Amino acid sequence: SSSASSLISINTYSGATARDVEIWGAQAEALSYATSYIPTLTGSTVTRATETLLGSGNSTLINSTEGVLFGEIAVIEGQSDINRYISINDGTDDNTVSVHFRNNTNHQIRAIVRVGNSNQCDITYNPSGSTSFAKFALKWKANDFALWVNGVEIGSDTSGSTFSADTLNNISFDSGQGADDFYGKCKALAVFNEALSDTQLTNLTS
């Protein structure tokens, strides 16, 4: 990272009389975190495109009545967006299975299952400021909801309803209505069409 936009310097130790320095692929960062090299034509400038989730499979593979939303995610330090969502939804935020990441001092992970605009479960994990990758799994089934993070059950709820068949038909990096986009790092994202056992969720998130 460069502290000045107009200057990058390379210094050798005191008293050096001659040194050869060869540099390739160097770049100065205007951000608080480093990005990777993008090959371009000589003299051209390229802005890295935001990754999007497209072609995410057949919507009939999403089971509305029960399932598990799994991901391996890390937040980026210093993002200005307070809520960054990953959700399974019906194109709105009234019917969602969502995990969202809060850019507060604790970088909380909050899991919500909302049916007909009414929360059926609402569980928060507090990683105490960690921005490291975390594996999460949010299970939903009638009267059987749970959030697992890194091999540990964070919380559960044994009272609540789920969706009618074929309600959920979309998975997106937002809250379900195109707002609260997810900005972060994503190694894996998957949807299971049945509620997994505790042993399976432990193994999945460990």
Side-chain angles (χ1 to χ4, degrees), residues 1-2 4-5 7-8 26-31:
S1 297
S2 174
S5 60
L7 176 65
I8 298 176
Q27 61 183 40
E29 293 288 358
L31 305 171

Side-chain angles (χ1 to χ4, degrees), residues 13-34:
Y13 63 87
S14 178
T17 56
R19 289 289 181 270
D20 290 333
V21 179
E22 183 175 344
I23 301 172
W24 179 89
Q27 61 183 40
E29 293 288 358
L31 305 171
S32 59
Y33 55 90

Side-chain angles (χ1 to χ4, degrees), residues 104-110 124-130 147 154:
N104 54 24
T105 56
N106 293 318
H107 298 298
Q108 292 171 328
I109 299 174
R110 185 179 180 193
T124 298
Y125 168 61
N126 188 343
S128 299
S130 174
L147 173 65
I154 301 303

Side-chain angles (χ1 to χ4, degrees), residues 7 15 29 35 44 55 59-60 70 105 113 127 167-169 174 179 186-187 195 201 204:
L7 176 65
E29 293 288 358
T35 60
S44 65
S59 63
T60 61
F70 165 78
T105 56
V113 176
T167 299
L168 304 176
N169 56 17
D174 59 40
C186 180
K187 283 186 178 180
L201 290 167
L204 181 66

Side-chain angles (χ1 to χ4, degrees), residues 24-58:
W24 179 89
Q27 61 183 40
E29 293 288 358
L31 305 171
S32 59
Y33 55 90
T35 60
S36 58
Y37 167 69
I38 308 174
T40 65
L41 299 175
T42 302
S44 65
T45 301
V46 173
T47 300
R48 184 177 300 280
T50 301
E51 292 181 291
T52 56
L53 183 65
L54 300 171
S56 55
N58 191 330

